[in-house]
Amino acid sequence: MEQQKKVILSGIKPSGELTLGSYLGAIKNWVELADTYETFYMMTDLHAITVRQEPADLRSRTLKQLAQYIAAGLDPEKNTIFIQSHVPEHAQVGWVLNCYTMFGELSRMTQFKDKSVKNADNINAGLFTYPVLMAADILIYQADLVPVGDDQKQHVEITRDIASRFNHIYGDVFKLPEPYMPKVGARIMSLQEPANKMSKSEQDNGGCICITDKPEDIMRAFKRAVTDSDTEVRYDPANKAGVSNLMQIYSSATGKSFTEIEAEFAGKGYGAFKTAAGESVVELLRPIREKADDLLKNKDYLQSVYKSGALKASSAAYKTLRKVYKKVGFVER
Ligand code: TYM
C-alpha cells in the first residue's frame, strides 16, 4: 500500500521585502523538502495586518512574494502555493482555537512582547492572538513539519499546546506538528547590529539584505558589516557575533563548513572574507531576482497559480474545519 506523504506547511508575511534571513532560515528549506512531502506554502496576509499596512503595497508585495517563491524554486505543480486570506478556513478554525487558548500563554510569547514595544501605539487584539491564527494555519492541514527560522519556534510550540488541549477534550482531531529548522541559518543576524535578528523592519541601515537588492548594494552592505577588532575568521558566536553571522551566511550560501571557511581565510583578514561572503550572496540571489522580475510580468500566470492553490488548500482545510465544528457541537449547515 502506498504510504501517505507527510505534510508540510509554512508561510511568510508580505509585510516587507523578503530578506536574506527568511530565505536562508525558511524558503531554502522549503525548496529542499518539496520532493518528499505534500507541501503548502502561503503568503500570510492575514498576519501582515496585525501591523498597519498600506493597502496598495500589501497587495503588490503579496504578488511579488508569490513570484519570489516560484523563482526560488517552488514549482507550483508540486507545491500548493496560496494566499492565506483566500482560504477562509484559517480564520474560521482560528476563531474556535481562540476559545481554547489562554490569555496567560499568549502573554508569554516573546514576539508579542517585542512587537508591543515596537508598535506601542497599535497593540491590537490581532497582534495578541496572532499565534492562534498561526496554530490554525498549521493544524487545518494536519501538518507534520513546519519549516521556520528560530524566531518562530515558540509559535510552533504553542500550536502543539493548543492542539493537545483540544485533542484531550475531543479525541484525536489534530496532528501535533514539529518545527523544522536548518542546522545553519536558523537565525541570521543584522549586519549592522549582530546582536539583533536580521529583520525586514530594519531595511534602511544596511543591516538587512533583501532578496531584491542590487549586487552593488549587497556588496556595500557586506563590506560595511560590523565585525570586531580581531582579525581571525573563527566561529565563536558569543565573542565574535558579527564574524560568526557572516560565516553562517557564507556557509549557508556555499555549503562550506565552518572549519573549511576558517581554513580558507586563515591569515587573510576580514576584508577578503567579507568580499567572498558578499559575492556568495549576490550569486545566490541573482537568479531569484531575475526570475521573479520575469514572472511579475505575467500576472495571468501568477493569478492561475494562486487560484488553483487556494482551491487545493481549501479542500484540504475544509476536512479539518468540518471535524472541528462537529466536535464542538455546531449544527451542520
Ligand atoms: P516572518 O514573515 O516573520 O518570517 C518568515 C520566515 O523567515 C524566518 N526568518 C528568519 N530566519 C532566520 N534568520 C532571520 N533573520 C529570519 N527572519 C525571518 C522566520 O522564522 C519564518 O520562518 N508568523 C510567521 C508567518 C506564519 C507562519 C504560519 C509560519 C504565519 N503562519 C504558519 C509557519 C507556519 C512570520 O511572521 O514569519
Side-chain angles (χ1 to χ4, degrees):
M1 202 175 73
E2 201 194 322
Q3 275 227 309
Q4 265 213 319
K5 271 189 176 177
K6 290 200 168 183
V7 176
I8 283 190
L9 169 120
S10 199
I12 298 181
K13 291 190 300 291
S15 53
E17 293 290 340
L18 277 186
T19 70
L20 180 64
S22 40
Y23 179 71
L24 296 179
I27 301 176
K28 192 160 169 275
N29 255 341
W30 300 0
V31 175
E32 283 162 15
L33 294 165
D35 282 336
T36 26
Y37 292 82
E38 163 146 33
T39 55
F40 295 90
Y41 295 119
M42 58 180 171
M43 285 63 78
T44 60
D45 53 353
L46 298 176
H47 277 107
I49 61 163
T50 53
V51 172
R52 204 70 78 222
Q53 303 292 328
E54 189 58 49
D57 291 349
L58 179 60
R59 207 169 286 124
S60 68
R61 272 200 308 261
T62 304
L63 286 182
K64 190 166 171 189
Q65 196 169 305
L66 168 62
Q68 289 167 334
Y69 282 6
I70 302 170
L74 291 178
D75 177 354
E77 300 289 324
K78 291 193 192 153
N79 303 271
T80 303
I81 309 177
F82 63 101
I83 299 173
Q84 189 187 26
S85 64
H86 288 183
V87 183
E89 287 83 359
H90 292 250
Q92 290 172 305
V93 172
W95 172 257
V96 175
L97 295 182
N98 264 317
C99 305
Y100 296 81
T101 307
M102 300 302 134
F103 183 87
E105 61 190 340
L106 289 177
S107 310
R108 286 193 290 275
M109 293 293 109
T110 50
Q111 191 169 65
F112 172 67
K113 291 190 232 171
D114 290 351
K115 291 209 167 170
S116 306
V117 174
K118 282 188 191 149
N119 304 283
D121 56 345
N122 183 23
I123 307 177
N124 59 74
L127 199 59
F128 187 64
T129 60
Y130 180 115
V132 185
L133 178 61
M134 185 159 156
D137 295 342
I138 297 168
L139 298 174
I140 52 178
Y141 299 100
Q142 305 289 349
D144 295 276
L145 278 192
V146 185
V148 284
D150 171 77
D151 62 327
Q152 294 299 321
K153 191 167 165 234
Q154 196 184 33
H155 289 161
V156 182
E157 280 159 5
I158 194 177
T159 298
R160 289 174 62 91
D161 293 342
I162 298 168
S164 300
R165 184 174 299 129
F166 197 90
N167 285 352
H168 186 69
I169 306 172
Y170 300 108
D172 276 342
V173 176
F174 297 124
K175 192 173 273 178
L176 298 193
E178 301 277 349
Y180 183 91
M181 288 182 296
K183 286 199 184 70
V184 177
R187 194 169 178 81
I188 301 295
M189 311 309 274
S190 157
L191 299 187
Q192 282 302 310
E193 293 170 53
N196 298 337
K197 189 188 77 160
M198 180 181 283
S199 144
K200 49 193 155 200
S201 53
E202 286 147 50
Q203 261 164 32
D204 300 331
N205 67 356
C208 181
I209 304 286
C210 294
I211 287 205
T212 45
D213 282 350
K214 294 195 203 78
E216 56 272 27
D217 295 335
I218 296 175
M219 289 311 294
R220 189 175 324 112
F222 272 86
K223 285 184 180 152
R224 287 182 45 220
V226 169
T227 47
D228 49 59
S229 53
D230 194 20
T231 54
E232 194 189 0
V233 175
R234 177 166 51 83
Y235 191 71
D236 178 358
N239 299 304
K240 296 168 74 72
V243 169
S244 302
N245 184 42
L246 295 178
M247 286 180 74
Q248 282 220 46
I249 295 172
Y250 187 55
S251 165
S252 190
T254 59
K256 292 178 186 172
S257 70
F258 293 150
T259 322
E260 284 169 330
I261 298 169
E262 284 168 359
E264 184 179 351
F265 295 99
K268 292 196 182 145
Y270 290 161
F273 171 52
K274 285 178 170 181
T275 303
E279 281 167 356
S280 74
V281 170
V282 167
E283 291 320 316
L284 182 73
L285 299 183
R286 186 195 306 278
I288 303 177
R289 194 187 64 235
E290 289 173 358
K291 178 139 194 240
D293 284 347
D294 252 10
L295 286 164
L296 275 167
K297 290 179 197 139
N298 193 345
K299 294 277 184 312
D300 288 346
Y301 170 68
L302 294 178
Q303 191 181 57
S304 75
V305 170
Y306 69 67
K307 277 192 167 176
S308 77
L311 281 177
K312 268 164 58 192
S314 205
S315 91
Y318 182 67
K319 289 192 196 126
T320 306
L321 172 77
R322 271 194 73 181
K323 211 167 173 183
V324 167
Y325 274 12
K326 198 165 165 196
K327 291 283 185 186
V328 299
F330 294 166
V331 172
E332 212 172 339
R333 196 172 71 172

